[in-house]
């Protein structure tokens, strides 16, 4: 059975979507079968892979609101081993449409249960909010990767997300774990960036990934060309960092399976 990982932080601009499609690509390049679920109405993970949502049979909205089969909504991508369930702007309306459903927090979990055995990893790109769609993503997930920007207000808001995770663990998904904190937009030349890394390590210890994602022009440019950084510039520091992150993640899971 595949592992489902939500990539979440209600603070915007921390590299959530960049991590979702670049980590998905890197895991696929390591021979893993990966499904990326774009659960953000902005659909940036979809466009970042160069995919027009209109070209896909259906979107995550159709799966959640109209019970469209997840397997039929899966869209191929230019990367071998990486598939996508796309997002569209109509996902904004899903929160309202699901509001009165008694099972509203578990809809996405049921959608993904039907395809979980088909993949090694399912990555869910969450929107920068803690609304019903993000609660659905966390309830569907086995674990959460929390990207943290290496800037002054980095730790602001993490307590709110951790509180949400605690509530979901107690009420909806007792087995939900924090996969790790990922430092993004890291510039080793800045003392502040190093202080934030040390502060994260001090608070969360081994839950902080050893891999850090650097500030990197190629990483910033690649989405505008509709491709992950591994295709745009495989030798860039950004591409190398995401490959390292994929390997660290695989290694972690291998160790856990052996224990």
């Amino acid at each position: 059975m595949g592992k489902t990982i939500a990539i979440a932080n209600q603070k915007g601009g921390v590299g959530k979507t960049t991590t979702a499609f670049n980590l998905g690509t890197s895991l696929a390049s390591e021979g893993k079968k990966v499904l990326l679920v774009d659960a953000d109405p902005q659909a940036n993970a979809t466009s970042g892979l160069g995919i027009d949502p209109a070209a896909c049979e259906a979107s995550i909205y159709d799966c959640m609101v109209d019970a469209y089969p997840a397997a039929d909504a899966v869209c191929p991508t230019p990367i071998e081993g990486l598939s996508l369930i796309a997002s569209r702007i109509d996902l904004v309306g899903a929160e309202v449409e699901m509001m009165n459903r008694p099972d509203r927090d578990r809809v996405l979990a049921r959608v993904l249960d039907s395809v979980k055995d088909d993949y090694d990893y399912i990555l869910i790109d969450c929107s920068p909010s803690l609304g019903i769609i993000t609660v659905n993503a966390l309830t569907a997930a086995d674990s959460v990767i929390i990207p943290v920007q290496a800037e002054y207000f980095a730790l602001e808001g993490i307590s709110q997300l951790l509180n949400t995770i605690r509530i979901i663990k107690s009420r909806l998904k007792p087995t939900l774990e924090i996969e790790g904190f990922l430092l993004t937009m890291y510039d080793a030349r800045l003392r502040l960036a190093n202080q934030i890394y040390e502060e994260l390590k001090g608070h969360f210890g081994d839950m902080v990934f050893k891999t850090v994602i650097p500030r990197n022009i190629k990483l910033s440019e690649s989405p505008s060309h509709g491709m992950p950084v591994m295709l745009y510039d495989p030798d860039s520091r950004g591409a190398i960092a995401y490959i390292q992150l994929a390997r660290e993640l695989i290694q972690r899971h291998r160790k856990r399976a052996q224990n």
Side-chain angles (χ1 to χ4, degrees), residues 211-255:
T211 305
V212 297
I213 307 302
R215 276 200 179 278
N216 180 243
I217 296 294
K218 300 297 183 185
L219 206 48
S220 305
E221 286 176 353
S222 63
S224 65
H225 294 268
M227 58 179 78
V229 71
M230 267 191 65
L231 295 187
Y232 182 64
D233 188 345
D235 297 322
S236 65
R237 288 188 308 127
I240 291 164
Y242 275 111
I243 283 286
Q244 286 174 341
L245 177 63
R247 288 174 181 166
E248 185 176 349
L249 191 64
I250 292 165
Q251 188 63 29
R252 278 185 179 200
H253 294 158
R254 202 172 281 146
K255 271 187 186 169

Side-chain angles (χ1 to χ4, degrees), residues 50-68:
I51 291 170
D52 176 4
C56 295
E57 188 76 26
S59 70
I60 194 64
Y61 170 89
D62 300 303
C63 296
M64 294 181 74
V65 174
D66 298 325
Y68 195 92

